């Protein structure tokens, strides 16, 4: 059964279509890059899968169930903007996630925070923007979810830390789950992706494995993206 499936999915804001007739399926154990220009519908698709928006047409399911109360326990979501209480310390945030989510792996989160030299007593308010992003990503990836939805997870993170985040944090997930990762930093994330979905003006223009792109197109994902979406 696909972890995430859409058939003819449509979402409009007023008369403006954000997604139009989107059909796709993501199987378990995959890291998928959701790639497209600004305004292409990536964040809308992620919010629909997380149950934050309601579709206007078509079908969407997470592990066979429509997004909603039943699916909330299966999805771990990283929004585009930092959305953790800034008055909390890192330790209080660990306590909060442990109380709120039964599937939270506290030891894994503590280990990753230590590796990134983030002090448990430091408050979120005292942290830089990039450090806040690291903390929120660690919390999201330390759950035993079935679907991880990451909207621009490394946008504000320094290049030296990206490798650790991609290989350890994003690579350190439930192997029966899938990760959907929306980003503009394609060359950075390409090495961890199994497949990609190109989306433009609310429509899926390509879904392919990274291996097939390299073999059939003779290009990297970054090169193909630049070709497909060049201005």
């Amino acid at each position: 059964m696909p972890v995430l499936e859409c058939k003819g999915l449509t979402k409009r804001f007023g008369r403006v279509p954000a997604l139009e007739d989107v059909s796709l399926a993501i199987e378990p154990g995959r890291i998928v890059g959701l790639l497209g220009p600004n305004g292409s519908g990536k964040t809308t698709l992620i919010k629909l899968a997380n149950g934050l928006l309601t579709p206007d047409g078509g079908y969407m399911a997470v592990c066979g169930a429509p997004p909603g109360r039943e699916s909330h326990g299966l999805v771990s979501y990283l929004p585009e903007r930092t959305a953790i209480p800034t008055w909390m310390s890192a330790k209080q945030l660990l306590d909060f996630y442990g109380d709120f989510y039964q599937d939270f792996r506290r030891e894994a989160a503590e280990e990753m925070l230590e590796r990134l030299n983030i002090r448990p007593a430091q408050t979120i308010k005292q942290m830089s923007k990039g450090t806040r992003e690291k903390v929120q990503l660690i919390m999201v990836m330390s759950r035993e979810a079935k679907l991880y939805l990451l909207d621009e997870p490394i946008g504000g993170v320094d290049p030296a830390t990206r490798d650790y985040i991609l290989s350890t944090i994003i690579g350190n997930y439930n192997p029966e789950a899938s990760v959907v990762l929306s980003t503009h930093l394609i060359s950075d994330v390409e090495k961890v992706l199994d497949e990609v979905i190109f989306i433009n003006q609310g429509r899926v223009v390509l879904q392919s494995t990274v291996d097939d792109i390299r073999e059939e197109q003779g290009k990297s994902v970054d090169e193909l993206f630049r070709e497909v979406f060049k201005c």
Side-chain angles (χ1 to χ4, degrees):
M1 178 193 299
V3 174
L4 180 65
E5 186 176 20
C6 309
K7 292 179 181 174
L9 187 70
T10 299
K11 177 64 184 175
R12 291 184 177 86
F13 295 106
R15 294 183 178 180
V16 180
L19 293 174
E20 196 76 59
D21 195 28
V22 168
S23 297
L24 56 87
I26 295 172
E27 299 298 327
R30 312 291 283 171
I31 300 182
V32 181
L34 182 63
L35 311 175
N38 290 333
S40 57
K42 303 187 298 296
T43 295
T44 300
L45 182 62
I46 286 174
K47 285 183 175 179
L48 283 163
N50 197 44
L52 295 173
L53 295 173
T54 305
D56 293 315
Y59 166 84
M60 183 180 228
V62 175
C63 298
R69 183 175 293 180
E70 194 176 330
S71 70
H72 280 159
L74 306 174
V75 176
S76 194
Y77 168 56
L78 180 85
E80 190 175 7
R81 294 177 182 168
T82 309
I84 47 180
T86 57
W87 58 267
M88 282 189 180
S89 66
K91 182 189 177 300
Q92 287 173 317
L93 198 59
L94 288 166
D95 295 339
F96 175 75
Y97 266 72
D99 290 341
F100 205 77
Y101 297 108
Q102 289 185 328
D103 61 1
F104 184 64
R105 300 174 299 143
R106 184 177 182 123
E107 284 185 16
E110 287 175 333
E111 184 182 324
M112 288 186 276
L113 288 170
E114 187 177 344
R115 283 285 300 275
L116 289 172
N117 299 313
I118 297 167
R119 291 179 283 109
Q122 189 177 12
T123 64
I124 307 303
K125 186 182 286 186
Q126 292 170 330
M127 297 175 185
S128 67
K129 180 177 182 289
T131 302
R132 291 181 193 185
E133 288 189 13
K134 293 173 199 172
V135 170
Q136 185 165 256
L137 179 59
I138 287 169
M139 297 297 147
V140 166
M141 295 308 297
S142 293
R143 287 184 53 205
E144 285 277 1
K146 293 289 188 185
L147 176 63
Y148 299 88
L149 299 170
L150 312 179
D151 199 351
E152 293 291 345
I154 58 172
V157 174
D158 56 280
T161 311
R162 281 179 196 158
D163 283 347
Y164 174 76
I165 285 177
L166 291 167
S167 62
T168 306
I169 301 179
I170 293 177
N172 183 25
Y173 72 103
N174 174 4
E176 296 177 3
S178 285
V179 178
V180 175
L181 194 161
S182 167
T183 184
H184 292 103
L185 300 169
I186 300 165
S187 59
D188 287 293
V189 304
E190 183 168 344
K191 60 191 167 193
V192 301
L193 299 180
D194 297 305
E195 57 188 89
V196 295
I197 296 168
F198 284 3
I199 186 168
N200 193 27
Q201 296 181 344
R203 294 180 180 271
V204 172
V205 295
L206 173 76
Q207 181 172 7
S208 174
T209 68
V210 172
D211 288 342
D212 282 350
I213 287 172
R214 289 175 184 149
E215 287 171 19
E216 294 171 11
Q217 305 275 352
K219 296 181 175 72
S220 68
V221 173
D222 190 39
E223 287 169 336
L224 183 62
F225 181 90
R226 289 169 190 271
E227 185 179 292
V228 170
F229 296 109
K230 80 181 163 194
C231 297

